[in-house]
Amino acid sequence: MKITEKIIEKHGLKKEEYENIKKLLNRNPNLLELGIFSAMWNEHCSYKSSKIHLKKLPTKGKQVIQGPGENAGVIDIGDDDAIVFKIESHNHPSYIEPYQGASTGVGGILRDVFTMGARPIALLNSIHFGSPSHPKTKSLLNGVVSGIGGYGNCIGIPTVAGETKFNETYNENILVNAMAVGHAKKNKIFYSKAKGLNKSVVYVGSKTGRDGIHGASMASAEFDENSEEKKPTVQVGDPFTEKLLLEACLELMKDDSIISIQDMGAAGLTSSSVEMASKGSLGIELELDKVPCREENMTPYEMMLSESQERMLMILEDGKEKHAKQIFEKWDLDFVIIGKTTNTKKLTLKYKNKIEGEIPIDALAANAPIYDRKWSKKKNEKNTIDFKKLKKIKIEDALIKILSSPNHSNKSWITDQYDQMVMCDTAQRSGSDAAIIRIHNKDKAIAVSVDSSANYCKSHPLTGGKQIVCENWRNLITVGAKPLAITNCLNFGNPENEDVMGEFAECLEGIKKACEFLNYPIVSGNVSFYNGTNKKNIFPTPVIGGVGLIKKIFKPIGHSLKKDKSFLILIGKTFGHLGQSCFLQENYSITEGKPPEVNLTNEKNNGEAVLKLINENLIDSAHDVSNGGLLVALSEMTISSNLGVKIEKPKKLNNTIEYFFGEDQGRYILEIGERNFKKVEKILKTGNIFYEKIGVTQQEFFEVEGELKIAKNDLFKINNQWYNNY
Amino acid sequence: MEKLFQLNSKKNKLKFSVIVTLKKDVLDPQGKVVQNTLANLGMDNLKSIRQGKYFEIDVEEQDQVKAEEKVNQMCEKLLVNLIIEDYKIDKVK
Amino acid sequence: MEKLFQLNSKKNKLKFSVIVTLKKDVLDPQGKVVQNTLANLGMDNLKSIRQGKYFEIDVEEQDQVKAEEKVNQMCEKLLVNLIIEDYKIDKVK
Amino acid sequence: MKSCVIVFPGSNCDRDIATALEKMQFKNKMVWHKETALPKSDLIVIPGGFSYGDYLRSGAIAGKSIILDEVIKAANSGCLILGICNGFQILTETGLLSGTLLRNKKLKFINKDVNIKVMNNKTKFSSNYRLNQVLKINIAHNEGNFFTNEKHREQLKKEDLIAFKYCDEKGDISERVNPNGAMDNIAGIYNSKKNILGMMPHPERMIDEMISNTDGINLFKSLLN
Ligand SMILES: Nc1ncnc2c1ncn2[C@@H]1O[C@H](COP(=O)(O)OP(=O)(O)O)[C@@H](O)[C@H]1O
Ligand SMILES: [Mg+2]
């Protein structure tokens, strides 16, 4: 079969890349080999546009056991416990088929975590949709939410936190990012690096079908006109099989049978075998006749590029095959030795006793292209908003507008569809700043949260990058956890566009600065480029997933108010920054302006002070002030509890709108019992932390003196109607 | 008069069945498990089983062509996920 | 010889369809929601809709009566919950 | 008191119930569904989860496994059987309990804490509760919409076989607080000998103040009496 220009193009390879392939091979590739190159060299597997930027990120720290480069990151949480976690995007598949796209996204990220020997203990997600009035949004939202729930609920891992946002920038390209967190024993982590010659390469899990072979289907339709047209098929998730795979893997991992293990994710058998061999500087030989297939007459090309779900590749120690097979058969799963490791440093593919393809591993991995793409710096936006020209609005009306908007409405319509309690260690469910998961049978816990701020990142990528790391950090602090490390999912537009690449470079710079300052390293992540349509790229949307540690958990602290007549204090200075605020967006549809400054020193000091207060058991509830500002944060505390608040009129700022809706960073609201107030003041004063007493808790009413007084139940209703009516 | 009305109302209703099946090559996790279970229950000469959905739809409409068009719309708008499923409409007598 | 064998193997397989529906007096929450949703989508002359399951079963068996008996057993043993569901077997050509 | 928990492929609350039983001082064993004999037990628990992925009908495939023959034998000889959530669905599929669990009326999975009312406190499962006591227990299911024929419905009432009903905080039972459409707000039922309890809410999730509350504890304590 002749490799035409069309075929090369259909495989997403550039002309120069094809020339490069020929050079590396010293000959022309055949179709199978071309398919393999195209899979390994695409953006998703090779990170060719992002690699040089990602290299700059801080990935080390005392707490880091394994940074980026493995299936997931691993951190130390003391004793013999480790936490394994990662976030991944499934944006494009979810737009095509929301239920299956989202559910296979969850399945994929879970495999990344349990391949490393961890039992998954929590799922999170960050989902972004287009405008609620866009005709597709409703069914996409429904499909994605039930897909996420469908997978997590069935496999029995609690979905405990996430974020849901609407913005017309995602009209044609929604974002579905899923994060999984697992628990492992520190000395029982499994890696993907192959070791040893002539070891059995074993295929386990589901059978291989023609799922997601895009290049293949298109190419074959082109040059094989007589054959029945093969449509690209959507991957269907099978959480039941994944549950079996999870249990079987963990059972086998109890002893030392496994040398190396890798899930088959994107580019399936190809990327898993190449990755194992590449890390171990070995070769791999596969006999494709042995691959368990679901459909008849599958070709080597299809087997190598299939993205069928719920499959794994393992390399086993000599003599352990029988024992391992027994375990997988107990769980009704396929177990087949399909090849062996070699010293050739080549990927060798045999089919029907013939070598159908042979490629040096280095050509696929180490020598994959890397691009230093052109990028341009974002021009500083001038703060053009003339507040005097805006129509006057009452604080109460503005607040109601925000609380009843799609972006700020209560998310229980979503979270009630997720099993948050299975495994019985969820000490704090969705609804607070971070979820808390207790480590099974111990009295320590981890806190988890995912965050993004696309508007900030669009307006000023550098500040936006810093801000999301800080917001995520704050969310863990407010539940009393020491933030340890993060994973990140970088959702951006077309990297061949200089502005998009600029957003990427600057966001990353911001993330880097904040992570370094806060000693909050990045241990895993994922890049998703090409989000958007030909002409319109999505807003830059990096998503941060953080994990923190609560060394000894007594009672989970959240943001719902606990006692009547407590003091409410605000940590951090309020300047009243309204640029990029949701006050302007929801009330005036103004999206211009700069995001609030991020002062890393203040962030760190304020956060550490709050953590100290919580650790000394002086705080009854805590909430960070972010999107929406002070009044929205106070409303959230009220709505999630049985109490109201009575807030004093601000003394210094004369513009109450700025005071109540400004989105200045580094701020927290704390509820403190009167008897603890002196102690708290002392600690804050010694730490040189700016704070002000803003009011007290009370029964029944949400009140700002002289401005507004709303019954608590009404506030609840305002916040809870949107999803139910949508 | 009474009788005439009844007659009319009978005529007004047309009944259709819709069978929705997964497209070829799309994974059918349910079918797989059901097949294994049946085999375990001793149903050895079962060759293959695939599971789909079935709808019975009554439409208030006299014109069969129009009615079928309605049913078709229901399939495309809601009942069928066209990306992974095929469907077949039949008139029920 | 080759040909004969193929012929036989073709004959050996019989295809059936099974339609499983909820009994009349059993609540059909799914059908109800689907009906409401369709009404909201503007499908106003929808009279009623009920949802069921559909199976396509291949049996390795030459004798149609025996084959149908097999399918019937599958239904009674697993596919149908006889307390709440009815079923109907058809031969597919 | 000896207990055992039957584990099917896809069960996912098996560890949770085992943890609860052990915490409550039961001597518990796990039983894989392919086993052909049960350990000697006073209580057999069929746990929640998605046995066989809930494919076909929830509980249907697990209901056909060989170990269920042993469970049926044990049930007939008076052994206590507790089916939670998917376990309840399995019990109705095997006929150990009558009725069935249909899709939730809104066709959505529901996970939340709901109030249920103790309708009978004279059974081995409920003696530690007060009659009409209101409990707050977590539910998590797709198919919890209890349905049965009129005859069985009458029998449930006449013989006092309704274990729990969905209600509000005060104990009022109404359609408004019915999370899934269940007939008569029924959340759990007994067989006529009252040695089998099937319930949709998860008592094993409510034994620890740190995680939720302790409203589930008295179910286990009752069993220990
Ligand atoms: N898709 C989702 N999945 C799970 N939880 C969600 C989802 N969307 C929102 N939540 C939960 O709703 C609450 C509010 O979310 P958000 O306003 O983004 O919180 P924050 O501003 O503190 O990050 C959080 O507890 C979050 O975990
Ligand atoms: Mg927050």
Side-chain angles (χ1 to χ4, degrees), chain A residues 134 177 359 385:
Chain A
H134 189 273
N177 295 178
I359 310 175
I385 312 154

Side-chain angles (χ1 to χ4, degrees), chain B residues 10-92:
Chain B
K10 254 221 174 115
K11 237 193 193 159
N12 262 334
K13 214 175 82 177
L14 290 171
K15 206 185 199 57
F16 293 89
S17 76
V18 178
I19 288 169
V20 183
T21 48
L22 279 175
K23 286 196 168 137
K24 191 176 160 275
D25 281 359
V26 171
L27 176 70
D28 176 15
Q30 296 215 61
K32 197 173 80 184
V33 170
V34 171
Q35 180 159 357
N36 288 344
T37 310
L38 285 170
N40 289 341
L41 288 173
M43 311 268 96
D44 35 16
N45 31 18
L46 168 66
K47 185 89 203 304
S48 88
I49 180 165
R50 274 175 87 83
Q51 183 170 341
K53 282 183 217 143
Y54 173 82
F55 295 95
E56 217 165 78
I57 304 178
D58 289 353
V59 188
E60 247 165 323
E61 174 66 66
Q62 281 165 300
D63 182 325
Q64 176 155 348
V65 178
K66 272 194 198 153
E68 194 162 336
E69 183 42 40
K70 283 273 169 209
V71 174
N72 196 45
Q73 273 181 32
M74 293 180 197
C75 290
E76 302 210 334
K77 277 201 178 164
L78 183 72
L79 304 180
V80 185
N81 180 347
L82 295 167
I83 294 159
I84 52 174
E85 293 172 332
D86 289 326
Y87 66 101
K88 206 175 106 226
I89 301 175
D90 274 311
K91 175 87 188 56
V92 180

Side-chain angles (χ1 to χ4, degrees), chain D residues 7-192:
Chain D
V7 184
F8 298 99
S11 295
N12 63 34
C13 302
D14 47 330
R15 188 186 75 165
D16 300 352
I17 183 71
T19 307
L21 288 166
E22 277 154 25
K23 187 170 169 179
M24 303 303 299
Q25 311 296 326
F26 284 77
K27 290 210 168 48
N28 186 55
K29 285 214 167 85
M30 305 306 269
V31 179
W32 180 238
H33 73 111
K34 282 181 187 163
E35 284 170 38
T36 47
L38 288 170
K40 211 175 146 351
S41 346
D42 311 293
L43 170 71
I44 302 170
V45 183
I46 309 191
F50 283 67
S51 60
Y52 296 94
D54 265 4
Y55 297 145
L56 192 62
R57 295 179 307 276
S58 43
I61 296 175
K64 302 295 175 232
S65 53
I66 5 172
I67 195 74
L68 250 296
D69 296 340
E70 299 305 310
V71 175
I72 293 171
K73 267 190 234 156
N76 289 337
S77 65
C79 182
L80 297 174
I81 317 272
L82 171 61
I84 301 168
C85 199
N86 193 226
F88 186 9
Q89 293 159 343
I90 293 170
L91 290 176
T92 60
E93 277 287 340
T94 55
L96 281 174
L97 288 174
S98 302
T100 186
L101 294 142
L102 300 168
R103 284 288 297 276
N104 296 343
K105 72 178 167 206
K106 286 193 179 151
L107 304 190
K108 285 194 164 36
F109 187 94
I110 313 172
N111 174 224
K112 59 176 168 190
D113 293 348
V114 297
N115 293 300
I116 59 172
K117 189 166 175 172
V118 179
M119 303 302 292
N120 177 345
N121 72 336
K122 295 202 184 64
T123 75
K124 292 245 165 66
F125 298 89
S126 62
S127 57
N128 263 42
Y129 290 114
R130 277 174 284 113
L131 185 66
N132 294 331
Q133 187 177 341
V134 176
L135 316 173
K136 196 178 209 182
I137 310 264
N138 194 253
I139 55 168
H141 57 248
N142 255 323
E143 276 115 357
N145 186 346
F146 180 79
F147 182 85
T148 194
N149 59 35
E150 275 311 312
K151 204 171 132 221
H152 182 226
R153 188 182 183 180
E154 280 309 309
Q155 189 198 4
L156 289 174
K157 278 186 217 160
K158 252 220 256 42
E159 296 177 26
D160 212 357
L161 302 179
I162 298 173
F164 307 103
K165 281 190 178 187
Y166 302 108
C167 62
D168 66 11
E169 302 99 358
K170 295 196 192 87
D172 286 341
I173 294 160
S174 70
E175 191 49 39
R176 191 179 56 84
V177 289
N178 185 340
N180 51 27
M183 180 181 267
D184 300 330
N185 282 38
I186 289 174
I189 59 166
Y190 299 104
N191 65 336
S192 54

Side-chain angles (χ1 to χ4, degrees), chain A residues 154 238 416 420 423 438, chain D residues 12 16 55 111 113 205 208:
Chain A
C154 181
D238 183 359
D416 283 356
Q420 305 196 48
M423 298 186 90
R438 186 176 57 185
Chain D
N12 63 34
D16 300 352
Y55 297 145
N111 174 224
D113 293 348
R205 296 184 178 188
D208 186 341

Side-chain angles (χ1 to χ4, degrees), chain A residues 338-371:
Chain A
I338 60 166
K340 56 175 196 251
T341 57
T342 65
N343 62 3
T344 60
K345 294 200 181 188
K346 282 180 184 163
L347 174 68
T348 308
L349 302 172
K350 286 188 175 167
Y351 186 62
K352 298 199 166 144
N353 289 321
K354 249 180 69 197
I355 292 186
E356 290 285 336
E358 191 160 51
I359 310 175
I361 297 283
D362 278 349
L364 294 170
N367 294 331
I370 290 179
Y371 297 130

Side-chain angles (χ1 to χ4, degrees), chain A residues 157-185:
Chain A
I157 293 152
T159 304
V160 295
E163 53 165 5
T164 311
K165 290 183 178 165
F166 301 91
N167 185 322
E168 61 184 17
T169 185
Y170 310 109
N171 277 355
E172 314 292 334
N173 193 119
I174 61 171
L175 302 183
V176 175
N177 295 178
M179 170 170 164
V181 183
H183 170 253
K185 292 273 169 247

